Amino acid sequence: MRVSLRWLEEYARLVLPPEALAQRLTVSSAEVESVERLGGWGPEVQVARVLRVEPHPNADRLRLVTVDLGGEDRPRVVCGAPNVAEGQKVVFGRVGARIVDGHTGKPAVLKSTSIRGVVSAGMVLSERELGISDEHEGIVVLPQDAPVGAPLDEYAGDVIFEVYVAPNRPDMASVLGVARELAALTGQPLREPPSAIVPSGAARTGRVTVRIADADLCFRYVGVLVEGVRVGPSPDWMQRRLQSAGMRPINNVVDITNYVMLELGQPLHAFDRRQLRSGSVVIRRSRAGEAIRTLDGTDRVLANGTLLICDGDRPVAVAGVMGGEDTEVSPDTTDVFLESATFAPSSVRRTGAALRLRTEASRRFERGLPPELAMAGARRAAHLLVELAGGVVREPVEDACPQPRAPVRLGVSLARVERVLGIPVGRDESAEVLERLGFTVEAADEGVLRLTVPYWRPDVRIEDDVAEEIVRMVGYDRLPSQTLAGRVPAPDEDPVRDLRERLRLRFAAAGLREVMTYSLQSTDGWTAAGDTGDLTPLRVANPVSSEHEYLRLSLAPGLLRTLAPVLRLRRARVGLFECGRRYLPRRDELPDERETVCGVLAGERPDRWGSPSGESLDFSDARGVVEQVLSGLVDGLDLEAAELPGLLPGQAARIRAGADVIGRIGRVDPRVAGKFDIAVPVYLVEVDVADALAARAGPGAYRPLSRFPAVRQDVALVVARDLAAGELRRAILETPLVVSARVFDVYEGAPLPHGKKSVAFALELQAPDRTLSEDEAQRALRRMIERLRRQFGAELRGG
């Protein structure tokens, strides 16, 4: 929120420089995000009074203007502005003033110059030359109360604070709220703006009654009828304040409602009384199909249940968001019905989101305004309408409040305050600090403060809230700084988390990039991957949209949806993974939240230069990821061929650690991939962290490295195509002297017979107590091949 220091000074004396005020406000109340200085024109730019306007002797469109700067100095300048006139208060730039060139828009320094034979020693300035706006058709005309000779910086310069308003502090969304904080922080008295009104007589246009039909969405509605107003421009001081806050002046009636909203934080709306034909304002929910044209000229169809302000049965405003075009104030409006209300924050938030419309008013209602503020805002606005628009307040002031609330009263133990803060704060000091903030201290017993919380502080409800108020006023620097002492607490051990983080690092080291996808999915999302079997996901009670309605059963859909657009842009190898939870339903219980790490691979293998080789990734690439990620983390790592939902039969396997299944690997079924617009082979690797933890490898016994070299031999075996390479590998490792067997190639096709494949292994043979001879190694291999021939019908490829 933009807050003008000139405006603040109307309510509290500012005794510190702007930078110091910003620092105090940031530390104690609300962050000042930026400090902007308006002005900086220098002493050469002053307020002047136009004494004479004479025609230029050598130019029809130019005139000679003599100005009074106070004292003896009365320079004469050449001026081409059409709106200059005698008696005006204007802005004058002396020779040497730094301005903006009206033609080029660049900074310039004023010089004495001759224009059509007449020396011009200065300039009467426009908004463009002052750098305020691009307007340069006429000069700036100041109010008549502007002091002649005063530097413009003193008269019109300002400092703007950009203040962050926390969600729990709606009072800070107002100039008075910021002034109240600064007054309390600096020990200055607060000057409340006048708001007295004297209703006089019955309305000649008839009374406007108020009825709240839906009290759960409207907590209070105050209506004030002001007759005889004259619609016109607002005073200059009000226009300047609105502009400093970033709002555009419109007319005095509308500007007053905006002004009071900025001043007090209470949004208001002004209806043209003539357009309220029924004489009855009803606050109710919308019905199906109702529509309204709002002030921005847009026809809006309202969702069922939207809170409306109605003239009888006709909608005339969307409650808390925007008024209707039919009842807006126009230049010929003479009677105004003022609305000042308190609406449910959730209702305003839902309505604004549904209509895609957020306003300054809705932002304040969304924070939750106290009902008491509605009457304060109505009285202040009515006061200004009488003062600035010549109106008359009519009886009665309508005030509908179905459920008035009692003030919040607290008993605050000073001992509790000391325990919370760690320092003692005296009874008298605490009472004085709280009274500065608007609290009413009703009694101060020996150890207890009994107080009433001001209505504008809905965030203060318990003793600890009061302790916070005290410490931020007395200063956080009162809190002692003390070095931490004592024993460092033991770490919170979480084996599942620790293993998940190790898996995260290993997947990244294998060349996959981590992504994060939504844990909530649509109906199509959880069924598209086809890997959840008969499980039905849990539906959240209040989904934000149909796209995020069910708790996910698998990480695969989110990964495939993320992978698809990447594959459309590149052919090279793409690897993505995610660490997240799957939510498996349990009968009459909360879901089983399974920590899972899932990865997908697709694209082409890189060639020796890192470019796509034209050769697609295959199962062995996915298996390589499994071996790199899980090697050393679990005992007995192996793959077991299986038919698994969502994966292509014949290219799918369970990941085992000994007898335990800890995950799955395989090619995503092309029909599943097609649902995500993926046409190339995609391979999936999934590890259940809790299952992997149960099979996690222990520290193991120390086994010294053999002092004898190993014999390395590559062997290619021809076996049935449906025989899993993993099963063949396990059989090879049962051979005496064979200490390692690694698959490095699988081939199917000519010249192999139909139904056969070739599996190539890199073997290592080693004896524990001697150097193995070549003959001994060959005999061991022949015995191994003979055993595999009997067991699987395996043949040595190439003889």
Side-chain angles (χ1 to χ4, degrees), residues 643-789:
E643 291 191 8
L644 302 174
L647 300 181
L648 187 65
Q651 296 194 47
R654 297 185 183 93
I655 303 175
R656 284 190 171 276
D660 300 321
V661 176
I662 63 172
R664 59 184 178 133
I665 177 177
R667 179 180 171 183
V668 176
D669 192 310
R671 292 171 298 180
V672 171
K675 295 179 182 178
F676 296 91
D677 295 327
I678 298 175
V680 299
V682 180
Y683 292 87
L684 179 139
V685 174
E686 184 179 87
V687 178
D688 185 294
V689 179
D691 289 341
L693 180 66
R696 188 171 180 180
Y702 170 70
R703 187 177 67 181
L705 294 175
S706 175
R707 295 184 296 112
F708 306 101
V711 174
R712 293 177 174 84
Q713 179 72 51
D714 292 347
V715 173
L717 298 172
V718 178
V719 295
R721 183 176 294 180
D722 58 357
L723 178 64
E727 188 175 356
L728 187 60
R729 177 178 174 272
R730 285 192 293 272
I732 290 174
L733 289 174
E734 294 174 359
T735 303
L737 301 180
V738 176
V739 295
S740 172
R742 179 176 59 86
V743 178
F744 68 86
D745 184 55
V746 177
Y747 175 76
E748 298 177 7
L752 296 177
H754 178 71
K756 296 288 186 176
K757 67 180 177 182
S758 170
V759 184
F761 292 90
L763 307 180
E764 287 189 4
L765 295 85
Q766 193 174 44
D769 54 354
R770 66 189 186 280
T771 299
L772 199 62
S773 69
E774 186 68 26
D775 289 342
E776 192 175 2
Q778 291 301 318
R779 287 196 299 272
L781 288 174
R782 285 195 293 271
R783 287 195 296 269
M784 176 193 77
I785 294 169
E786 181 60 31
R787 182 167 53 83
L788 296 176
R789 181 182 294 112

Side-chain angles (χ1 to χ4, degrees), residues 325-578:
E325 190 178 75
D326 292 346
T327 55
E328 70 174 319
V329 172
S330 62
D332 60 347
T333 296
T334 57
D335 305 318
V336 169
F337 182 74
L338 270 179
E339 167 194 285
S340 182
T342 309
F343 302 116
S346 57
S347 171
V348 176
R349 190 178 301 114
R350 282 195 303 269
T351 300
L355 297 178
R356 297 184 179 180
L357 182 63
R358 294 197 74 207
T359 60
E360 288 293 330
S362 68
R363 289 186 181 93
R364 286 166 171 80
F365 281 122
E366 287 174 12
R367 286 182 164 84
L369 298 180
E372 295 86 347
L373 188 60
M375 180 59 77
R379 295 179 68 87
R380 174 61 172 158
H383 175 89
L384 289 173
L385 282 173
V386 171
E387 181 180 317
L388 303 179
V392 177
V393 178
R394 294 304 187 184
E395 296 177 336
V397 173
E398 301 292 338
D399 184 9
C401 187
Q403 297 177 339
R405 66 178 191 178
V408 176
R409 292 184 170 84
L410 296 174
V412 181
S413 165
L414 294 177
R416 173 63 183 175
V417 172
E418 182 175 350
R419 279 199 306 275
V420 171
L421 303 183
I423 58 171
V425 181
R427 180 187 62 185
D428 294 340
E429 183 180 11
S430 299
E432 189 267 335
V433 161
L434 293 171
E435 287 174 343
R436 291 206 313 258
L437 287 169
F439 291 77
T440 302
V441 180
E442 299 167 351
D445 299 336
E446 186 60 32
V448 178
L449 292 177
R450 304 194 182 281
L451 50 87
T452 301
V453 178
Y455 72 80
W456 59 82
R457 292 302 303 276
D459 58 309
V460 178
R461 288 296 178 265
I462 61 175
E463 283 184 289
D464 292 0
D465 294 334
V466 178
E468 182 183 358
E469 295 300 300
I470 293 172
V471 72
R472 70 185 186 85
M473 286 294 119
V474 302
Y476 292 108
D477 52 355
R478 288 263 295 264
L479 299 176
S481 57
Q482 187 174 351
T483 305
L484 290 175
R487 180 179 298 175
V488 177
D492 181 16
E493 294 188 3
D494 186 342
V496 172
R497 178 196 61 202
D498 295 343
L499 181 56
R500 182 196 65 206
E501 293 307 307
R502 292 192 66 180
L503 290 171
R504 184 198 305 273
L505 293 175
R506 290 197 172 202
F507 267 91
L512 281 72
R513 295 178 180 271
E514 184 176 9
V515 299
M516 296 178 68
T517 65
Y518 289 110
S519 57
L520 294 173
Q521 298 177 338
S522 65
T523 304
D524 294 339
W526 67 266
T527 57
D531 62 347
T532 56
D534 296 330
L535 292 176
T536 300
L538 294 173
R539 184 182 183 276
V540 295
N542 55 340
V544 295
S545 73
S546 60
E547 292 297 313
H548 305 97
E549 194 172 3
Y550 295 93
L551 289 169
R552 65 184 174 192
L553 297 170
S554 169
L555 276 61
L559 284 168
L560 293 173
R561 193 172 290 110
T562 305
L563 179 67
V566 180
L567 292 175
R568 288 195 289 269
L569 299 176
R570 56 180 293 171
R571 296 162 40 217
R573 177 185 186 270
V574 179
L576 305 177
F577 80 97
E578 179 176 11

Side-chain angles (χ1 to χ4, degrees), residues 169-189:
R169 290 295 304 272
D171 60 305
M172 293 297 286
S174 67
V175 178
L176 184 63
V178 176
R180 184 183 291 113
E181 289 290 315
L182 288 175
L185 287 167
T186 57
Q188 301 298 311

